[in-house]
Amino acid sequence: MDFAEPRFFWLLLLVPCLLIPTLGAGRHAMLLANAFGRQAAVSVRRRTIAGIFAVVLATLSLVTALASPRVLTYLGADPQRDLVVAVGIDVSKSMLAEDVSAPESFSGSAVPINRLDVSAHLAEELFGELTGERAGLFFFAKNGIEVTAPTRDQGFLRYMVRHTNLAELTESGSNLAAALETGRDMIESAESPVGGIVLISDGEDTENRISELRELAATGQRIPVFTVGIGRAEDAYLPIRRPGLPGIQGFYTDSSGDYLQTRLEERSLREIAEATGGGYWRYEETSAEELIRILPGRLAAVNAEHLQKAPRKLQRVELSPLFLVFGLLFYLGYRLL
């Protein structure tokens, strides 16, 4: 056993000070008990001695809890402790298309909904459904950018998604291979035996062929990839909206002046999911609420085999909660004497 904060042991010098009231009360009780005979005096003496032990043990336990005792032990993999989820949101220009239906929580909103809005909503709700797993956030277009390293602070992750203006981050081009590499790097840097990547995208890839994506995905089968397709299979234009101005100010065009069009490319997302043992869902066929119910369970289920095969690791276990409980029990016993 070792201690993360051994400096707190100087508080043990307070034990004599804490014993003064106990000894004073015991002496006063002994004087009164002597008037009632030897049997009463013996009973008071025992209670005084018990009180002294309770004070000493309570103080020792609480001070030890403050010192953060730890022991080294071999622990097997645990879903909540070891599972790491990297959630990636596609911020390429095509995600500005307004060809998606609004989630139920958006009902009544007068603001037009685009693919980015739905993607952010899905990511935020997914973070809220996690129960202690570590999760990280990244954005991708031509490159992948880590936004938040894997953390158990789901509130912070939801804050980052809710308060980031994704429309200002959009850029031309999309690279699903870069998204896969970014997600894998995040999971590997967390040094976890199990993990999963969630890609929320329209599936367009301007940098890689389908065969290249399939080959790249297959090289990382230890990390399953779950993909969510956003958009519709029919062509859609990319509207230009300016902050503070009503309506659409035009549509994006390419270098030749032709209007840019986009559609959901399901094949690439399916290939990636199947090659890694993950899963694919199309947003228009599965509601946001249903997706959020499904994804966490699938992440844990797919990783169950890896969890069983993962070697036991030598890890430090914090004992502070145990000593805190002992301290409170000893204090309660003292108060009942």
Side-chain angles (χ1 to χ4, degrees):
M1 179 187 296
D2 65 344
F3 300 92
E5 302 290 343
R7 66 179 183 276
F8 284 104
F9 279 120
W10 71 265
L11 292 174
L12 291 177
L13 297 175
L14 298 176
V15 171
C17 300
L18 297 174
L19 287 177
I20 292 176
T22 303
L23 293 173
R27 184 171 180 277
H28 180 68
M30 283 292 296
L31 293 175
L32 294 176
N34 287 330
F36 292 94
R38 182 173 179 277
Q39 188 65 31
V42 171
S43 177
V44 169
R45 185 180 299 108
R46 289 175 178 172
R47 291 179 61 185
T48 301
I49 294 174
I52 293 172
F53 274 105
V55 169
V56 172
L57 292 175
T59 305
L60 181 61
S61 297
L62 293 175
V63 170
T64 303
L66 287 173
S68 299
R70 305 172 300 183
V71 294
L72 285 173
T73 185
Y74 283 96
L75 296 177
D78 176 81
Q80 289 190 349
R81 186 185 67 243
D82 294 318
L83 182 59
V84 177
V85 184
V87 179
I89 299 178
D90 188 345
V91 294
S92 58
K93 193 73 73 177
S94 60
M95 295 294 285
L96 293 173
E98 298 173 358
D99 60 345
V100 289
S101 57
E104 291 181 9
S105 59
F106 281 42
S107 60
S109 174
V111 179
I113 302 300
N114 59 31
R115 297 175 182 176
L116 280 179
D117 297 323
V118 172
S119 300
H121 172 75
L122 287 173
E124 182 180 347
E125 293 300 306
L126 175 59
F127 290 138
E129 284 296 311
L130 298 179
T131 56
E133 300 88 345
R134 283 183 291 171
L137 174 67
F138 68 96
F139 301 144
F140 67 93
K142 272 194 173 182
N143 299 292
I145 301 175
E146 179 180 317
V147 179
T148 305
T151 175
R152 301 188 198 280
D153 189 351
Q154 280 78 31
F156 176 69
L157 291 167
R158 299 184 72 184
Y159 177 88
M160 290 297 297
V161 175
R162 187 183 306 122
H163 295 280
T164 300
N165 189 342
L166 299 182
E168 294 182 351
L169 302 178
T170 57
E171 64 175 353
S172 300
S174 182
N175 188 339
L176 292 175
L180 288 174
E181 292 174 357
T182 301
R184 288 172 179 170
D185 289 344
M186 291 175 66
I187 293 174
E188 290 172 1
S189 66
E191 299 181 350
S192 173
V194 289
I197 300 173
V198 177
L199 295 183
I200 306 174
S201 170
D202 57 19
E204 288 194 351
D205 191 314
T206 60
E207 308 297 320
N208 308 281
R209 294 190 296 271
I210 293 289
S211 58
E212 295 173 334
L213 288 175
R214 187 190 309 115
E215 182 179 352
L216 177 63
T219 60
Q221 288 187 344
R222 186 185 68 83
I223 302 177
V225 181
F226 300 84
T227 56
V228 180
I230 305 294
R232 296 179 181 173
E234 299 80 18
D235 287 333
Y237 293 102
L238 306 181
I240 300 174
R241 294 184 181 274
R242 306 296 185 193
L245 296 178
I248 296 174
Q249 279 68 57
F251 294 90
Y252 286 100
T253 59
D254 60 18
S255 57
S256 302
D258 297 324
Y259 290 118
L260 291 172
Q261 299 182 60
T262 178
R263 66 170 64 185
L264 170 64
E265 300 290 348
E266 292 188 278
R267 184 183 173 189
S268 57
L269 298 176
R270 289 186 184 276
E271 292 279 357
I272 291 172
E274 291 175 1
T276 60
Y280 168 75
W281 295 272
R282 182 179 175 183
Y283 168 70
E284 292 296 335
E285 295 176 350
T286 310
S287 69
E289 291 70 25
E290 187 176 355
L291 272 170
I292 298 310
R293 288 195 298 269
I294 293 172
L295 270 171
R298 285 294 305 275
L299 278 164
V302 171
N303 278 286
E305 183 178 351
H306 294 304
L307 285 169
Q308 295 174 355
K309 295 180 179 180
R312 296 169 66 87
K313 296 194 304 182
L314 190 63
Q315 300 184 42
R316 282 188 170 89
V317 177
E318 295 286 343
L319 299 181
S320 290
L322 182 63
F323 280 93
L324 179 60
V325 170
F326 283 152
L328 294 177
L329 289 176
F330 286 130
Y331 177 74
L332 180 61
Y334 167 74
R335 300 296 298 177
L336 294 176
L337 288 174

